[in-house]
Amino acid sequence: MRAGTEGARERWVRTGGIELCVQELGDASRPTVLLLHGYPDSKEVWSEVAERLRDRFHVVLYDIRGCGRSTAPLPLRGGFTLEKLTDDFLAVAEAVSPDAPVHLVGHDWGSVQGWEFATARRTEGRVASFTSISGPSLDHLALWLRRRATRPTPRRVAQLLSQSARSWYVYALHTPVLPEALMRGPLLKRWPKILARLEKLPSDGYPTESLATDAAHGAWLYRDNIRARMRRPRTDAYAHAPVQLITPTGDVFLSDRLYDGLEEWAPGLVRHTLAAKHWVPRSRPDQVSAWIAEFVAERERGAGGPAGRASAPAGPYAQAFGGRLVLVTGAASGIGRATAFAFAEAGARVIAVDRDPEGAVRTAEMARLLGAPEAAAETVDVSDEAAMEKLAAKVAAEHGVVDILVNNAGIGLAGAFLDTSAEEWRKILDVNLWGVVHGCRVFGRQMAERGQGGHIVNTASAAAFQPSRFLTAYSTSKAAVLMLSECLRAELAGKGIGVTAICPGIVNTGITATARFTGVSEDEQRQLRKKAVRLYGRRNYPPEKVAEAVLRAVHRDQAVVPVTPEAHGLRLMSRFTPRLLRALARIDLPL
Ligand code: NAD
């Protein structure tokens, strides 16, 4: 029994002289989700996703002709045309869901086929929706290439060259015999290792033992279709069902520019991007199945127009963060609250964590209003190791593994070193450093164990690289957070988990009203706080801009991000004029 397909019901569908091996999971009275595999794959490439969808849907997988356990057409040449593959799809759809159209999901060549089924006239009424992953419509591709070749601009030529460079394997697969010989010979044994290394896939019994025939027969997909469609593309390949596009941004085979203007063919297209490589059904099954489930459920509810979505998240980051699970600490105020709101606006699911219970609840409520499909509040002191462990277990049980963690909670402390008590040192390090350490440990471990990537953002400060005679304890805590982030980034890079240190300068938040000043009376304390509030108010740099920098940093996987202009300046000075920075460090508190 292959991984993830336990309990599957198997049947054989005869069509056009061949037999297709079909598997079904879940309750057949539920909406049917039909998963189409690519090259050189068999239906088992979907096993992780199928497993996650089977409780909610009737999930159907089949080996396409000549692959897995399905029989191959004879002769092979001419047996793999998109027309014949469409016959196969219609036969399977008729067998598994005679009374209702099916929701298609295709990866790689499965997606190429899916585009055919979602746009051909004779499949109209049989497709309820289509989720496309890493496989364009050959017709759209041909027209995309023609436009760039016949009306070249420097940008279009660059796009053309970039995609051509990624298509080397398409030319290789057109050569006779060689691909078959390679895949039956030296490549066969190495392919699983190549996949595991380059694509960072788990070694869990996939690819299956049919790999050699999948690769040899599948080569005819290219030979039977590419040239023919490049010469004579259909110019009416408009989708007759809603389409969702999932684009892995690290796909070495396909440029994401291929999908520019795709809305022309698929009105109301829903787009998502995923920081991952080509084989996302295996490397990111949680996120892929979540997007499939949401899209299918919305179509079944009949939401909106062609592609549904009355309240689709908008903004530049909606594609990247829609549906992701984001946890922000220190979310009841300032930068944390603004960050939670920015992720909510992008359609992320948000968990607002703070030691201030009411503030956290208000953030979660607002996040829901701003577009988060799900928002929760948790009251936790980040410096409490046991409480953080408990939080991680609760979040995993109730919401799943966090995709993006923002360790932001922090407190301020100003004053000379000799005026700072050991207790004050302990307190600031407990929150500003240990809080981040606990967050990274408990949630970072879950991310690493899940093996599906993620991102950790730690809020450091410009104080991390600016020495100062009046911020010794605070700066020390933030410098430690910066170094922790840099080290962790190196450690987690191999697991597809990015780590960012955010270094804001002076930002107008509530931190000035709660910061402590050492070595002064309570009266002086109040006066100094008032002055600090005024100073930060005059600078008036909004926390929303820091939030924007956080989303950009996660999207671009940036390592260290100074935010305000003074933070940029100080970062440059720390590198190029450290002596000047040391001179500045001697200036006393400007209050
Ligand atoms: P803020 O006071 O407005 O927000 C901090 C939030 O963290 C508050 O809601 C507070 O209740 C929460 N918090 C504090 N200690 C906690 C704990 N032990 N457990 C859980 N929650 C706790 O301050 P802010 O300016 O938004 O600060 C956010 C982060 O940004 C901090 O790490 C801060 O050091 C850093 N930072 C701020 C500035 C600035 O100028 N405001 C500059 C650089 C860095």
Side-chain angles (χ1 to χ4, degrees), residues 404-423:
I404 299 159
L405 165 71
V406 186
N407 286 309
N408 163 81
I411 52 175
L413 180 67
F417 173 78
L418 293 180
D419 292 333
T420 307
S421 68
E423 186 47 37

Side-chain angles (χ1 to χ4, degrees), residues 4-63:
T5 54
E6 278 83 4
R9 305 180 292 281
E10 197 160 284
R11 64 158 92 191
W12 294 83
V13 173
R14 282 166 200 273
T15 165
I18 56 155
E19 280 191 306
L20 298 171
C21 179
V22 180
Q23 281 185 342
E24 293 173 73
L25 297 108
D27 182 346
S29 66
R30 299 225 166 114
T32 301
V33 175
L34 184 57
L35 303 168
L36 298 160
H37 71 80
Y39 176 86
D41 290 320
S42 57
K43 62 181 177 315
E44 283 74 19
V45 76
W46 283 115
S47 56
E48 292 293 324
V49 171
E51 203 50 40
R52 286 160 175 78
L53 294 174
R54 65 189 296 175
D55 287 343
R56 290 184 64 184
F57 304 105
H58 172 216
V59 182
V60 178
L61 316 90
Y62 69 95
D63 290 317

Side-chain angles (χ1 to χ4, degrees), residues 27 125 129 190 208 259 261 306 316 323 337 356 372 383 419 431 435 479 500 514 529 536 568:
D27 182 346
S129 78
R190 297 208 180 102
T208 54
Y259 306 112
R337 176 172 270 180
D356 162 11
S383 65
D419 292 333
V431 179
T500 298
T514 53
R529 273 190 186 149
Y536 277 57
H568 280 282

Side-chain angles (χ1 to χ4, degrees), residues 335 457-462 482 485 500-504 546 549-551 553 559-563:
I335 294 168
V457 179
N458 295 329
T459 311
S461 166
L482 176 59
S485 309
T500 298
I502 290 282
C503 302
V546 184
V550 171
L551 269 68
V560 180
V561 181
V563 185

Side-chain angles (χ1 to χ4, degrees), residues 77 169-183 216 219-220 222-223 227:
R77 180 187 298 278
Y169 66 99
V170 178
Y171 311 118
L173 284 165
H174 275 82
T175 57
V177 188
L178 183 68
E180 283 89 337
L182 274 177
M183 270 319 239
W220 287 99
Y222 293 85
R223 295 166 184 160
R227 270 200 212 118

